[in-house]
Amino acid sequence: MKKVIQKIEEEFVGRFGDEYKLIQSPGRVNLIGEHTDYNDGFVLPAAVEKSIVLAIHPNGTNVCHFYAADMEESYETDISGDIRKSDMGWPNYLLGVVDELRKHGYEVGGFDCVFGGNVPIGAGMSSSAALEGGVLFGLAELNGWDIPPVEMAKIAQKAENEFVGVQCGIMDQFASLNGKEGYALKLDCRSLDYEYFPFNRDDIQIVLCDTQVRRELASSEYNVRRQQCEQGVEILQQWDPEIESLRDVELSLLFQHEDDIDPTIFKRCKYVVEENKRVIQACNDLRQGAMDSFGQRMYQSHAGLRHEYEVSCEELDVLVDIARDLQGVFGARMMGGGFGGCTINLVREAYVDSFETQIQEKYQQKMDKQIKIYRTKVSSGTHLISDQKVTSS
Ligand code: GLA
């Protein structure tokens, strides 16, 4: 991370001067609980050390200047009136936060911001949530706003939903902002109550295998899944009007009415109901240190995502199938929205090297292409690195 920090500081000083706050905002992994967040369910993500670093400072005008150091692209806009979306894409993550803060009654003036980092883009590690959370945290720091953690996550999610226009749930923003070093975060996406579970075993490594597959399909299919879940809820309400979301559905009720429900909707609902249960059980596994059992639930989660929720793809399935047969692997599953991106693998430390060599080799044999592999550790949520005026460097 040191190199990233140095680069961002240098770029900021070169462009905007030597006074700024430096924020680190992490990507996230999700251990288990996929496509449950927008169903009012449970998730078990964790912030990781791969992060975006932002240098940020107010400039006393109504103009914002942004510089994306990795893309070497600049953007500037006047924010005195309505904030307009940019065709460039990335500025919208920052502008969306400004827009949402204003809607919440916070007065945001012009500011300068340089950012960059090592969260792989489109890999399902939530680089966009890291950027939104980072700029939000930075603006709160600059202005002395004391925004509670849950509120921060809601604002960042809304920025993505309403300004960027992606209908994501709250998991990514929540995990990035509120993660804690050495802990996974169990979040109840209905009440937004959360609990930290120790996840700092030296003998286990999180290894991410990036298919490098990025499909446009991901966002349209994501919205289709959301609608299918809503349809399921509407149907199930006939038999139990208390049901507000799939979170409230018992498997027994679902099976009782299997013949009355469209088979696709049935599969989607069954997956979500079971995945919610798995998160709770996986948390019990963590409490008891039962990592074999935890790993089995990851495989079950993947099977559900593959066959019932149908958001996986061949590359992800091949990686999980290979991992299952390798020594030292507790569990593996696709991670995030699906249709590409990464698998998450929990691997016994002593086997990590051989895991990486073998999965790369076997994948190459089967798919005739390569994956990227990242080892990562569970790390802190969005935080201030420093806020001193830089005197020399
Ligand atoms: C994406 C969304 C999250 C969540 C996952 C699936 O990452 O941004 O809100 O819905 O997909 O679990």
Side-chain angles (χ1 to χ4, degrees):
M1 221 51 227
K2 259 193 181 155
K3 273 199 181 144
V4 176
I5 294 173
Q6 197 186 347
K7 175 173 164 188
I8 299 304
E9 289 195 284
E10 281 170 11
E11 294 285 3
F12 192 94
V13 172
R15 286 180 161 70
F16 306 117
D18 58 4
E19 219 181 315
Y20 53 86
K21 287 196 191 266
L22 205 57
I23 314 291
Q24 183 168 347
S25 192
R28 62 106 188 89
V29 292
N30 188 20
L31 295 168
I32 197 160
E34 218 62 87
H35 287 275
T36 44
D37 60 352
Y38 54 83
N39 286 301
D40 277 353
F42 299 99
V43 291
L44 188 64
V48 291
E49 53 191 359
K50 292 207 176 293
S51 300
I52 289 181
V53 172
L54 304 92
I56 185 166
H57 193 68
N59 57 28
T61 71
N62 281 319
V63 179
C64 284
H65 304 269
F66 304 149
Y67 182 68
D70 301 326
M71 282 168 277
E72 299 181 4
E73 283 179 7
S74 339
Y75 176 81
E76 67 168 64
T77 188
D78 190 314
I79 57 163
S80 38
D82 281 349
I83 299 173
R84 269 167 298 127
K85 256 181 109 161
S86 152
D87 295 335
M88 284 167 75
W90 63 262
N92 294 326
Y93 297 111
L94 298 99
L95 295 173
V97 169
V98 173
D99 190 53
E100 202 51 49
L101 276 167
R102 284 200 175 155
K103 287 184 184 151
H104 279 73
Y106 295 98
E107 278 179 35
V108 187
F111 62 96
D112 304 326
C113 179
V114 172
F115 70 91
N118 58 5
V119 186
I121 293 174
M125 292 180 70
S126 303
S127 52
S128 52
L131 181 51
E132 288 153 353
V135 77
L136 175 58
F137 190 96
L139 289 171
E141 280 288 325
L142 291 175
N143 291 287
W145 300 325
D146 188 13
I147 310 177
V150 170
E151 196 58 24
M152 292 274 268
K154 283 188 184 168
I155 293 174
Q157 182 204 9
K158 272 216 142 178
E160 174 117 14
N161 290 165
E162 308 212 338
F163 197 87
V164 181
V166 174
Q167 295 312 310
C168 61
I170 199 164
M171 167 170 72
D172 304 345
Q173 288 78 8
F174 204 101
S176 175
L177 279 158
N178 300 317
K180 191 163 149 180
E181 190 171 346
Y183 290 84
L185 188 161
K186 177 192 161 208
L187 175 65
D188 177 335
C189 299
R190 170 174 276 165
S191 64
L192 300 184
D193 288 342
Y194 57 104
E195 199 182 334
Y196 292 107
F197 282 83
F199 197 87
N200 55 352
R201 292 179 44 163
D202 291 341
D203 54 338
I204 299 178
Q205 178 80 52
I206 297 174
V207 184
L208 301 171
C209 296
D210 186 355
T211 60
Q212 301 185 80
V213 173
R214 313 283 187 253
R215 296 214 171 96
E216 273 307 308
L217 187 72
S219 61
S220 56
E221 285 298 312
Y222 187 88
N223 291 341
V224 171
R225 294 300 175 283
R226 287 193 75 138
Q227 284 159 13
Q228 289 169 331
C229 291
E230 280 165 25
Q231 275 171 271
V233 169
E234 260 175 51
I235 298 167
L236 291 159
Q237 280 169 339
Q238 296 173 59
W239 302 294
D240 182 352
E242 307 261 287
I243 290 171
E244 282 174 21
S245 66
L246 290 181
R247 155 77 173 272
D248 305 315
V249 175
E250 289 295 334
L251 215 48
S252 53
L253 181 86
L254 202 56
F255 277 113
Q256 217 177 314
H257 295 287
E258 184 170 358
D259 295 340
D260 310 314
I261 305 174
D262 169 272
T264 303
I265 305 287
F266 179 83
K267 277 198 286 187
R268 308 291 193 248
C269 295
K270 176 172 175 285
Y271 163 75
V272 172
V273 173
E274 289 184 340
E275 181 77 349
N276 268 329
K277 279 216 169 76
R278 274 192 287 269
V279 177
I280 308 290
Q281 291 161 340
C283 289
N284 288 335
D285 292 338
L286 276 191
R287 247 183 227 116
Q288 292 159 11
M291 293 314 290
D292 286 321
S293 167
F294 189 97
Q296 288 309 310
R297 297 191 207 284
M298 293 174 75
Y299 289 126
Q300 289 160 10
S301 168
H302 184 80
L305 289 159
R306 176 178 182 174
H307 300 296
E308 296 177 330
Y309 215 64
E310 295 178 292
V311 290
S312 187
C313 63
E314 194 192 357
E315 288 87 347
L316 292 166
D317 296 339
V318 165
L319 284 173
V320 171
D321 287 342
I322 297 172
R324 196 194 308 272
D325 292 335
L326 294 181
Q327 254 190 322
V329 181
F330 290 100
R333 53 184 285 279
M334 57 151 274
M335 189 178 80
F339 301 102
C342 288
T343 61
I344 175 168
N345 303 264
L346 295 190
V347 185
R348 216 180 267 287
E349 186 67 45
Y351 289 90
V352 172
D353 288 339
S354 70
F355 170 83
E356 291 189 359
T357 322
Q358 290 191 58
I359 201 159
Q360 188 67 271
E361 234 175 66
K362 289 182 195 278
Y363 185 82
Q364 169 81 46
Q365 274 164 17
K366 176 113 199 184
M367 303 298 288
D368 199 22
K369 51 183 178 179
Q370 296 222 314
I371 50 168
K372 275 197 177 154
I373 300 179
Y374 320 113
R375 297 181 188 192
T376 194
K377 286 214 158 57
V378 169
S379 192
S380 319
T382 311
H383 61 277
L384 188 67
I385 307 176
S386 80
D387 62 354
Q388 320 99 322
K389 186 177 154 101
V390 174
T391 43
S392 65
S393 61

